[in-house]
Amino acid sequence: MVDPDSSRGLLPNAKGIFESQTEFDDSLDWDRLFRRNPMRHFCDGEHEARITLMNFRRAMESLRRAWDFFQASKERHYQRVIVTRPDLKFIQEFEPPLSGGLRRHLWIPRFGSCGGLNDRFAAGNEESAAVYCQRADFAHEWLLSGEEGNPETLLKRWLQQQDICWNLVDFPFQRVRANGEIAAKDSKLKPLIKERFLILGRKASQATRRLEKVFATLGKVETIVDQPGDEGIWYDDNQVKGYGGLTSHSSHSPPVTAWSRAMYHLAKNLRADEAVWFVEDEVAGSTEFFRALVRRTAASGADLASFDIRSRRNDASWPDWDHAEPWFPEPWRSFGSLSRKSARLVRAALEFREKNGHFACHEILFPSIAMNQGMRCFDWNVSMQRNRLFGSLSLQLSGNSSPGAICYPVKDAADHEAICNWEGLPAPVASSEEFPCFHLARCSGHSISVEDYIVLGRYCRHLGIRNVVEFGPGDSTLAFLDAGCRIVSFESDGNWLDQCLVRFGTETRAEIRFCAAESTPESLPFAPDLVFVDGPSRCDSHAVPRLALCEWGLAICGHVILHDSRREEEGRILEELAGRGMRVEQIPTRKGMASIVNPQKRPTMPTAEFVFGDASRYQLRDEDQWFAKDLPAWQKPFKSSQAVRALDIGCGEGRRANLLLELLFPAEGSEVHCVEDFETLPGGDAIRADFERNAETSGNAGRLHLYEGTTTEVLAWMIASKDAWESFDFIQLGRGRPAHEQLTAACQAWCLLRRGGVLVFGERGAAYAGFETGFRRLAERLFEGTSVVLRKR
């Protein structure tokens, strides 16, 4: 609602209604609305709160009248309707998944939710759009009530009340102020990069079809082929003349390949908001493996992502450097069969072709352009080795292909199918930083696997296990050493005993002893925290009595891990022990391990589901490892069968929040309110996507409530809300923020914590010291480990 005459002049061809805002303003009792103005809870001062209220109420009325006009003047039924504010600048095309969906369903932008739903833009069918547009009366009643909230939470409540479902879509846009400037908070919003996959092969095949299926849910997928046929994209050699040179100059390489056709294809239709993956058809991997790779690579913002990005100076022995002449005096190279390139880098390569009449070898061309023009490069090898960025993702480039990795080259059709269809967990990678002894391990034959090695090490760290008795020394001994344990290991085979005495002879924390095959140890140098039973079930003439060893371990310390638990003989042992009342849980590794606990000796022992299931399913960031270490100790004092209201400040990917609901607060009515400022968090978009995926995977989406914004702003809004003051039973503060911000957040959180509630500091530092000094008489310390837990008196 604006001045009718001026609006008609600005929009001479617009179909719509132009009504006077003054007439509407005169029809309302503004003083009555101002009395309990809910905008006061988040506006600076009374004047701003009144202006905000008036603009909001006018917008609601405009929305209703616009919908009425649309219904009265339309000439047909529309399957899809877009509702948008007029002051938006769209910075990328709107491409939601509009096919299918529910009858009462909307697509709403993900950002700008403020604890509710973005109220600036929505798309859906007519029925859903009608509900969206006709909330003016509901909004008016809210303004009169003075109830805490904001326009975004009001929209969410309205849609819930009307049984309208919604999907959040990544669709950024900016608000344009009356002076033509972009709103300050929106200036950081940029177009989202879309992933595009080009599969390169000589012809369409089962391999290319499998890869199309692998990438189908990750982005746009196209197959580029060298031979014409019914499938794939192909261009005649005459069309791609001048696009050669991308492969090596050897005589057996044709001048024009699928690479040439791919670049010609991109020259015709490349978009600025795309990143292009080049995937040769001998690459193999499962959707979940590539999903992890895509997510982490996209978060890096790099122009080139690949393996082995090296300069000639650092890799002089590479045989193909002559292909860099004469274009690149200081050339670089990278692995080209699997890589991701930004639109900017692809355009630069196309400009190189226009200038020189053809391309250079793609393994040199792209990294050399990127490095020489100062573009950002992302070497997957370096990231895995230095930062454990890919977690449990394995990439094998040696040709030793196996399910559980992304592999190249995979020439055997059966292997390619097995790898692409793999549905298990990613094959783990043991980094030298986390596992410094791993390079000494063999992880073959009767030994534990790489996966077992990692699981054992992390398990001991999580539970604080320090003393281990082991039956069957070897690679598992190294895993326990990496976990900081002291080990006494018993062996019955004389030859293997001699080898292990040599192997571990200088290790002061590992003691290797002989123990007859049909006996158990008579003495120990310490009281064990864990007994690990390993070794083959039969070794020539030696019958290894694994049941007897498990019985001994359960009597001595109450906690045993049995290796190779998937074998038939071990299965019978587990059935026997379970029948005696032992708590038996399978650990999901490929060889299989089982946790066996004597509940009489270890009544509070955390479940294997926590250590190997939940804790691994939600891999915690390095700064959140404190949580995994201390959570088992919290289970007895803090686990509740009653509904609990928790607050997670600095929630990140939401893994801590999910673990709280699953392990401490499983009651149906429990909920965790999560606070995070994704806009300022490095890789914030990827982390937000992880949060939503974790919520969906866990089934906890209905019990997690996300508030986006700075911690200070969100907590201030909560404090002003009558429903949040002293309403939380459990509040946790993560690590990694400056001390002054942490202390501010702790003081704000104290106002939200009920008497008797628990406040968790993720670390002892300056913030905790300052808080303890000021609140010493008001708080009781309940726990001190990696974290500190306080109870409000």
Side-chain angles (χ1 to χ4, degrees), residues 98-329:
L98 287 178
S99 60
L102 302 175
R103 184 170 60 87
R104 298 173 64 82
H105 192 274
L106 288 170
W107 285 271
I108 295 175
R110 188 185 310 277
F111 78 103
S113 62
C114 299
L117 294 172
N118 186 309
D119 65 343
R120 305 165 200 168
F121 181 98
N125 56 29
E126 279 202 35
E127 182 178 358
S128 301
V131 173
Y132 181 92
C133 293
Q134 294 175 322
R135 63 184 190 272
D137 292 340
F138 184 73
H140 192 85
E141 293 301 318
W142 170 63
L143 295 174
L144 289 174
S145 71
E147 182 180 347
E148 270 72 346
N150 55 46
E152 291 80 9
T153 58
L154 183 77
L155 173 59
K156 184 176 182 179
R157 285 169 47 201
W158 171 245
L159 296 181
Q160 289 173 332
Q161 185 182 103
Q162 301 299 315
D163 295 325
I164 299 293
C165 300
W166 61 82
N167 273 1
L168 299 179
V169 294
D170 292 314
F171 178 54
F173 48 75
Q174 299 169 325
R175 291 168 294 172
V176 181
R177 298 305 188 197
N179 59 5
E181 295 180 356
I182 301 298
K185 289 185 177 181
D186 296 350
S187 60
K188 297 180 180 179
L189 294 171
K190 303 298 180 184
L192 298 173
I193 300 300
K194 298 180 177 65
E195 306 301 318
R196 182 177 180 180
F197 299 87
L198 299 187
I199 301 168
L200 311 181
R202 289 188 57 80
K203 62 180 180 179
S205 63
Q206 291 296 332
T208 61
R209 295 183 194 102
R210 277 191 291 269
L211 289 171
E212 288 174 356
K213 184 178 179 181
V214 165
F215 297 126
T217 61
L218 304 180
K220 180 180 180 180
V221 185
E222 299 165 301
T223 296
I224 313 294
V225 294
D226 274 331
Q227 300 176 7
D230 295 334
E231 299 179 50
I233 298 172
W234 175 81
Y235 295 100
D236 184 87
D237 285 3
N238 291 325
Q239 290 178 277
V240 296
K241 186 177 181 180
Y243 281 77
L246 283 159
T247 53
S248 66
H249 297 318
S250 59
S251 59
H252 65 271
S253 298
V256 174
T257 65
W259 274 93
S260 305
R261 294 177 171 86
M263 291 301 292
Y264 177 78
H265 184 62
L266 291 173
K268 292 163 61 68
N269 54 36
L270 178 67
R271 290 173 34 169
D273 61 348
E274 289 181 324
V276 183
W277 290 76
F278 292 83
V279 186
E280 295 184 359
D281 59 359
E282 290 184 351
V283 172
S286 72
T287 298
E288 289 308 310
F289 285 51
F290 275 111
R291 190 186 307 279
L293 182 62
V294 169
R295 184 172 66 248
R296 287 159 175 78
T297 304
S300 73
D303 291 284
L304 171 65
S306 183
F307 296 100
D308 301 330
I309 302 176
R310 299 173 183 172
S311 66
R312 180 162 58 185
R313 185 179 304 171
N314 296 328
D315 191 16
S317 62
W318 190 58
D320 293 328
W321 285 119
D322 59 311
H323 298 323
E325 303 294 343
W327 306 289
F328 302 110

Side-chain angles (χ1 to χ4, degrees), residues 524-535:
L524 295 172
F526 48 68
D529 303 313
L530 170 69
V531 174
F532 181 73
V533 180
D534 192 13

Side-chain angles (χ1 to χ4, degrees), residues 9 14 130 138 148 160 178 187 204 249 259 334 355 374 431 471 485 492 506 510 563 570 623 635 661 687 696 783:
F138 184 73
E148 270 72 346
Q160 289 173 332
S187 60
H249 297 318
W259 274 93
S334 67
K355 179 180 179 180
S431 73
F471 291 96
C485 299
S492 60
T506 60
H563 191 237
E570 280 69 19
E623 59 265 34
Q635 287 191 299
L661 287 173
I687 294 173
E696 181 179 353
F783 173 86

Side-chain angles (χ1 to χ4, degrees), residues 669-683:
S670 294
E671 58 186 22
V672 178
H673 296 252
C674 306
V675 180
E676 187 58 86
D677 186 6
F678 294 112
E679 290 188 3
T680 60
L681 195 64

Side-chain angles (χ1 to χ4, degrees), residues 27-170:
S27 69
L28 286 184
D29 184 353
W30 292 104
D31 289 336
R32 186 182 177 199
L33 292 173
F34 292 153
R35 287 173 197 157
R36 297 183 179 181
N37 187 354
M39 307 298 182
R40 294 191 183 105
H41 300 301
F42 54 87
C43 288
D44 295 330
E46 181 64 21
H47 178 71
E48 181 182 336
R50 291 193 174 198
I51 295 298
T52 303
L53 182 149
M54 295 178 72
N55 288 337
F56 172 70
R57 186 62 185 87
R58 292 163 181 161
M60 290 296 97
E61 185 65 22
S62 294
L63 194 59
R64 175 164 60 183
R65 296 190 187 188
W67 182 259
D68 291 343
F69 173 79
F70 167 65
Q71 289 296 304
S73 59
K74 70 175 185 176
E75 298 177 354
R76 64 184 179 89
H77 176 79
Y78 291 88
Q79 292 183 340
R80 296 290 181 259
V81 176
I82 290 177
V83 183
T84 178
R85 279 177 31 169
D87 60 342
L88 302 183
K89 177 184 178 182
F90 299 107
I91 54 180
Q92 73 177 56
E93 292 184 18
F94 178 56
E95 296 180 351
L98 287 178
S99 60
L102 302 175
R103 184 170 60 87
R104 298 173 64 82
H105 192 274
L106 288 170
W107 285 271
I108 295 175
R110 188 185 310 277
F111 78 103
S113 62
C114 299
L117 294 172
N118 186 309
D119 65 343
R120 305 165 200 168
F121 181 98
N125 56 29
E126 279 202 35
E127 182 178 358
S128 301
V131 173
Y132 181 92
C133 293
Q134 294 175 322
R135 63 184 190 272
D137 292 340
F138 184 73
H140 192 85
E141 293 301 318
W142 170 63
L143 295 174
L144 289 174
S145 71
E147 182 180 347
E148 270 72 346
N150 55 46
E152 291 80 9
T153 58
L154 183 77
L155 173 59
K156 184 176 182 179
R157 285 169 47 201
W158 171 245
L159 296 181
Q160 289 173 332
Q161 185 182 103
Q162 301 299 315
D163 295 325
I164 299 293
C165 300
W166 61 82
N167 273 1
L168 299 179
V169 294
D170 292 314

Side-chain angles (χ1 to χ4, degrees), residues 464-469 526-531 557-559 602 605:
I465 291 172
R466 291 293 174 263
N467 298 321
V468 176
V469 172
F526 48 68
D529 303 313
L530 170 69
V531 174
C557 76
H559 184 200
R602 297 289 187 95
M605 181 73 192

Side-chain angles (χ1 to χ4, degrees), residues 505-517:
T506 60
E507 178 53 62
T508 59
R509 290 183 291 128
E511 182 179 352
I512 312 299
R513 295 184 180 183
F514 174 78
C515 184

